[in-house]
């Protein structure tokens, strides 16, 4: 069987790809390192301009500037495609100097390491090289491909959300270049995230002289936490975790205030509504007379649910994978990404198209080098099918 032409071309690109990846990884771009993210943005702007893209920055004061690059294809009636990747990492300033890009072998597998190498500088490059393959092969039969490289995904994409939603609403399909799971998997759904704050208000008093006059907010909150945590596992596709609890100031004072923070993950809107109703029911009652409980918060990332449109993208990815000898599977993820940002718009979206590897957000984060040409060819083949 002859080798797939896109794969053959992708394999020939590995030397410049890895040189580009090293340049990106060796730039500090933690979310809170604005000057580093902006430096990476300028590097990517130049790289995308060499691809023939028109570019602009959505400038930010607190975080790095978001980069938008648009490549016009050869078909004015063709699809408008959006590729999403983020420039920021979870690592602090100086991390790239402490452990710069490196290549090594582990158990016979060649890997690359460095801050953000998996999540998700390699994913951004996979998108760039996938489009470059189409352009060089004269297969750019689209109206436009737009790249958006945002600077704050690791903290929820709050400043970039309006921009991403605007670009997605103007697109026919969205591809998100977050890390792939394994070579033959893509992500067609992600759980939504909601965060809640529960406050218990009591009455302070002297713990030794007049303890009976106090109402212990920590004790009331403890009852609430037990009841709230018991909701976990009772609603299909939903989880609840009480992750932070604080209260009191001194041991000789009956505390009048305590609070906890709760992380909720949901697979669909029905689960979100059900778990919120259960939490409201719990917090509407107190155990200790004279105390008061307040529930606040809500969803920060809506669920990215499987839809008819996203399943069509899965089918196209499966067809592109078959050309590469892969049987593509679509999976769900418990973590959120910018696919959750576009979810409320109903635009067909597919995620998990980035590099394969592991230990994201860990100092030992790595990508596998051997599958890189396959991932580039897969994304390029998917784009090609979207244009047919």
């Amino acid at each position: 069987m002859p080798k797939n032409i896109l794969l053959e071309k992708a394999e020939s690109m590995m030397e410049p790809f890895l040189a580009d990846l090293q340049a990106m990884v060796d730039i500090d771009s933690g979310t809170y390192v604005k000057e580093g993210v902006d430096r990476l943005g300028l590097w990517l702007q130049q790289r995308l301009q060499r691809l023939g893209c028109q570019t602009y920055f959505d400038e930010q004061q607190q975080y790095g500037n978001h980069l938008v690059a648009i490549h016009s294809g050869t078909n004015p009636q063709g699809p408008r495609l959006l590729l999403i990747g983020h420039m920021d990492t979870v690592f602090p300033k100086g991390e790239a100097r402490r452990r710069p890009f490196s290549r090594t072998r582990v158990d016979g597998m060649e890997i690359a390491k460095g801050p953000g190498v998996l999540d998700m500088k390699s994913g951004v490059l996979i998108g760039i090289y996938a489009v470059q393959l189409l352009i060089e092969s004269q297969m750019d039969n689209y109206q436009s491909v737009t790249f958006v490289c945002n600077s704050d995904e690791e903290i929820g994409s709050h400043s970039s959300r309006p921009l991403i939603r605007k670009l997605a609403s103007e697109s026919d399909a969205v591809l998100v270049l977050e890390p792939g799971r394994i070579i033959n998997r893509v992500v067609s759904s992600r759980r939504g995230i909601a965060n809640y704050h529960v406050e218990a208000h009591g009455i302070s008093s002297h713990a030794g002289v007049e303890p009976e006059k106090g109402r212990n907010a920590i004790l009331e909150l403890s009852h609430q936490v037990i009841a709230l945590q018991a909701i976990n596992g009772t609603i299909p596709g939903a989880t609840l975790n009480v992750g932070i609890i604080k209260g009191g100031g001194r041991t000789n004072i009956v505390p009048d205030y305590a609070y906890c923070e709760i992380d909720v993950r949901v697979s669909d809107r029905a689960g979100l509504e059900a778990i919120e109703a259960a939490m409201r029911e719990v917090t509407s009652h107190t155990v200790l007379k004279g105390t008061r409980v307040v529930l606040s918060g809500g969803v920060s990332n809506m669920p990215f649910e499987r839809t008819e449109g996203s399943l069509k993208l899965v089918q196209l990815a499966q067809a592109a994978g078959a050309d590469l000898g892969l049987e593509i599977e679509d999976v769900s993820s418990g973590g959120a990404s910018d696919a959750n940002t576009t979810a409320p718009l109903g635009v067909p979206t597919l995620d998990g198209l980035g590099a394969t590897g592991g230990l994201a957000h860990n100092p030992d984060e790595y990508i596998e080098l051997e599958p890189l040409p396959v991932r580039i060819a897969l994304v390029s083949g998917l784009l090609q099918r979207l244009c047919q």
Side-chain angles (χ1 to χ4, degrees):
M1 177 178 167
K3 183 173 284 190
N4 179 279
I5 185 66
L6 291 176
L7 178 57
E8 194 172 65
K9 287 179 177 289
E11 287 174 341
S12 71
M13 292 175 159
M14 280 302 96
E15 187 175 339
F17 182 99
L18 291 173
D20 283 347
L21 183 59
Q22 179 172 356
M24 292 177 66
V25 170
D26 287 347
I27 297 174
D28 269 323
S29 61
T31 309
Y32 301 106
V33 188
K34 176 174 169 57
E35 68 274 18
V37 178
D38 286 345
R39 182 180 163 203
L40 179 57
L42 289 170
W43 187 94
L44 282 168
Q45 180 189 43
Q46 294 172 1
R47 179 65 181 82
L48 287 159
Q49 285 176 344
R50 291 201 304 272
L51 195 64
C53 294
Q54 299 295 314
T55 64
Y56 67 89
F57 284 105
D58 182 48
E59 296 190 1
Q60 301 295 309
Q61 294 298 314
Q62 185 174 5
Y63 305 112
N65 300 326
H66 312 309
L67 172 64
V68 178
I70 304 166
H71 186 270
S72 297
T74 58
N75 183 1
Q77 306 305 315
R80 301 161 301 168
L81 308 172
L82 177 64
L83 274 61
I84 302 178
H86 64 85
M87 299 180 288
D88 63 320
T89 75
V90 298
F91 299 105
K93 187 174 183 178
E95 192 75 6
R97 183 177 63 256
R98 285 189 289 272
R99 50 182 191 91
F101 179 85
S102 64
R103 294 169 60 178
T104 187
R105 281 192 172 272
V106 177
D107 298 328
M109 176 177 62
E110 190 175 12
I111 64 172
K113 301 175 73 173
V117 67
L118 175 67
D119 188 12
M120 62 172 295
K121 295 181 179 183
S122 53
V124 173
L125 268 187
I126 284 172
I128 292 172
Y129 275 79
V131 173
Q132 182 174 328
L133 273 181
L134 293 186
I135 296 169
E136 292 181 354
S137 304
Q138 297 183 328
M139 298 178 183
D140 52 339
N141 189 39
Y142 45 76
Q143 182 180 153
S144 63
V145 169
T146 299
F147 291 87
V148 58
C149 300
N150 62 325
S151 68
D152 63 345
E153 192 275 345
E154 293 294 4
I155 57 170
S157 300
H158 298 296
S159 72
S160 58
R161 187 171 296 166
L163 173 65
I164 290 172
R165 286 187 174 166
K166 175 183 180 296
L167 295 172
S169 69
E170 298 167 352
S171 303
D172 299 303
V174 177
L175 304 183
V176 183
L177 299 161
E178 286 286 348
R181 297 302 182 265
I182 59 177
I183 188 63
N184 67 324
R185 287 184 179 173
V186 295
V187 176
S188 60
S189 63
R190 288 181 178 271
R191 300 171 82 190
I193 301 176
N195 300 107
Y196 297 92
H197 184 81
V198 178
E199 297 177 303
H201 298 268
I203 301 172
S204 62
S205 67
H206 195 293
V209 178
E210 298 179 313
E212 72 284 355
K213 292 186 177 180
R215 298 293 183 270
N216 193 313
I218 291 177
L219 180 56
E220 176 58 42
L221 185 63
S222 299
H223 289 294
Q224 296 288 328
V225 166
I226 292 170
L228 287 164
Q229 192 63 58
I231 297 170
N232 184 51
T234 64
I235 297 167
T239 58
L240 181 152
N241 180 64
V242 179
I244 297 174
I245 182 168
K246 293 184 179 181
R250 297 174 66 113
T251 58
N252 61 350
I253 301 174
V254 174
D256 64 354
Y257 180 77
Y259 74 90
C260 69
E261 303 283 353
I262 301 173
D263 177 279
V264 166
R265 306 288 169 123
V266 293
S267 296
D268 52 39
R269 298 188 186 210
L272 176 64
E273 293 171 2
I275 205 164
E276 281 193 340
M279 293 174 68
R280 284 195 297 270
E281 172 61 24
V282 166
T283 56
S284 66
H285 308 284
T286 59
V287 174
L288 301 183
K289 186 178 179 180
T291 61
R292 180 171 57 91
V293 173
V294 178
L295 170 69
S296 60
V299 67
S300 56
N301 292 89
M302 290 299 295
F304 164 40
E305 301 182 53
R306 285 188 177 94
T307 63
E308 184 178 337
S310 65
L311 290 178
K312 286 182 179 178
L313 292 183
V314 170
Q315 292 168 357
L316 293 176
Q318 288 171 334
D323 288 345
L324 301 166
L326 296 177
E327 188 174 339
I328 297 294
E329 303 173 5
D330 66 303
V331 299
S332 299
S333 174
S337 81
D338 283 318
N340 297 76
T341 299
T342 66
L345 303 174
V347 182
T349 300
L350 191 62
D351 199 351
L353 293 164
T356 60
L359 298 176
H361 296 190
N362 183 288
D364 289 322
E365 174 183 9
Y366 70 93
I367 61 168
E368 301 170 4
L369 297 188
E370 185 177 348
L372 281 173
V374 179
R375 295 301 281 189
I376 294 170
L378 176 65
V379 176
S380 194
L382 172 56
L383 290 167
Q384 182 186 5
R385 279 166 174 78
L386 281 165
C387 299
Q388 292 175 348

